[in-house]
Amino acid sequence: MHLPALASTARAPLQSEGLWPRLPLGKSWLENPGRQSNRACANPKRAYSLCSDAEGASILRPAISYIRVSTGKQGRSGLGLEAQRAAIAQFAAVEGLDVQSEFVEVESGKGSDALSRRPKLAEALSKARKAKAPVVVAKLCRLSRDVAFVSRLMAERVPFIVAELGADTDPFVLHLFAALAEKERSMIAERTRAALAQKKAQGAKLGNRTNLLEAQAKGSATNRAAADAFAANVMPIVRQIQATGVATHRAIAQALNDRGVRTARGGLWHDSTVRNLLARTSRSP
């Protein structure tokens, strides 16, 4: 069976499970299914085909753009951002989409729990849900290379379009591409580990050892600055807790946890972490 036919066969059970919305033929994402429309689509079987009103004027459909790079260096330099932005703009022009909002994120896409670490993607999904619009990405890997993560996005009931794959790509096909991307990531990591192990076995010294001391000093300074900044933000809350009569480190830790305040690493407070916080504050000038 050819892939398009296989995708069409898989569409019905996915829709019945609520993993992909049913689109009324010829309707746009902004239209209420129960409301009559005078819009005519060039291709009524295509969810995102360019439509026109009764006078024949083209009507652009709303869409939300999401762009992601994995490293801060890429984000600062613009490497990858402009390429994604250009791909989405070109796709929107061809498909008759109006990109109403753009969300840019610098964060790793690894892991099935990546959504909790990607607030911009969460904002994009919320915006798209309210506007009844799809989220558009340049490539599937900009969402994730993790199959479980892609499945979770489908469960959010917000459709997303991968410009590289086209507007007609079924959820089943997206699952296939996500599985291939996940396998590709695994193979790349394995090849990298094997190459490094071979180099090490040949006696090569891995890493940049020319400025090791300088790099260590800069890293320590950065960590100290971040710890001082965190302590400055948390200490007013600690002072408020102490003002209520709470004095012991363990009691302060419990009060911070009850208020939902987390440590610098996102964990729970203990008497030792409170002690370290107070000690750092007392050393500050």
Side-chain angles (χ1 to χ4, degrees):
M1 183 181 292
H2 294 295
L3 189 58
L6 184 62
S8 299
T9 304
R11 182 188 297 113
L14 286 169
Q15 288 178 333
S16 66
E17 294 294 331
L19 295 179
W20 198 253
R22 294 179 180 271
L23 285 177
L25 296 183
K27 300 279 187 177
S28 77
W29 288 101
L30 285 180
E31 291 182 66
N32 188 319
R35 184 177 66 192
Q36 295 297 325
S37 171
N38 61 350
R39 298 178 181 179
C41 291
N43 183 355
K45 293 184 179 180
R46 190 166 184 170
Y48 299 99
S49 63
L50 185 63
C51 293
S52 60
D53 58 17
E55 288 73 27
S58 297
I59 299 174
L60 298 179
R61 302 182 181 219
I64 306 300
S65 170
Y66 176 73
I67 299 172
R68 181 184 68 84
V69 291
S70 300
T71 66
K73 183 178 180 181
Q74 288 178 327
R76 290 189 298 270
S77 66
L79 180 62
L81 292 178
E82 290 304 324
Q84 293 178 56
R85 186 175 288 115
I88 292 174
Q90 182 179 7
F91 176 83
V94 172
E95 296 293 333
L97 298 176
D98 176 23
V99 179
Q100 297 185 344
S101 300
E102 177 186 278
F103 294 87
V104 179
E105 193 147 53
V106 180
E107 180 59 65
S108 172
K110 293 181 181 179
S112 58
D113 64 337
L115 187 58
S116 62
R117 295 181 279 105
R118 291 159 68 177
K120 290 299 180 182
L121 177 56
E123 289 182 33
L125 292 173
S126 177
K127 182 85 171 181
R129 187 178 294 109
K130 292 178 181 178
K132 297 182 180 179
V135 175
V136 183
V137 295
K139 297 184 177 183
L140 183 60
C141 64
R142 296 304 88 199
L143 283 173
S144 178
R145 296 181 187 269
D146 188 276
V147 178
F149 181 82
V150 174
S151 298
R152 182 182 174 188
L153 281 184
M154 291 180 179
E156 294 287 331
R157 299 181 183 275
V158 176
F160 55 87
I161 308 175
V162 181
E164 185 181 46
L165 303 180
D168 293 328
T169 307
D170 283 278
F172 176 73
V173 178
L174 287 176
H175 270 100
L176 291 179
F177 277 101
L180 290 173
E182 184 175 308
K183 180 62 176 178
E184 180 186 24
R185 182 185 67 189
S186 175
M187 293 173 62
I188 291 174
E190 183 60 33
R191 287 196 299 266
T192 302
R193 284 193 293 267
L196 292 176
Q198 184 178 6
K199 284 286 185 181
K200 191 173 182 179
Q202 294 173 352
K205 294 183 178 180
L206 305 179
N208 183 5
R209 298 173 180 268
T210 59
N211 62 342
L212 183 59
L213 294 178
E214 179 184 355
Q216 289 177 339
K218 287 184 177 180
S220 298
T222 301
N223 291 337
R224 284 195 300 271
D228 290 339
F230 178 79
N233 289 330
V234 175
M235 278 309 298
I237 303 177
V238 174
R239 297 304 183 199
Q240 292 177 1
I241 295 173
Q242 290 176 324
T244 64
V246 177
T248 66
H249 295 155
R250 179 166 299 183
I252 293 174
Q254 184 62 49
L256 288 171
N257 292 331
D258 291 343
R259 295 190 182 197
V261 180
R262 292 293 179 259
T263 65
R265 296 185 177 181
L268 295 176
W269 290 89
H270 303 280
D271 53 351
S272 59
T273 48
V274 172
R275 185 184 307 110
N276 294 338
L277 174 69
L278 296 176
R280 174 175 294 278
T281 304
S282 64
R283 293 195 301 266
S284 300

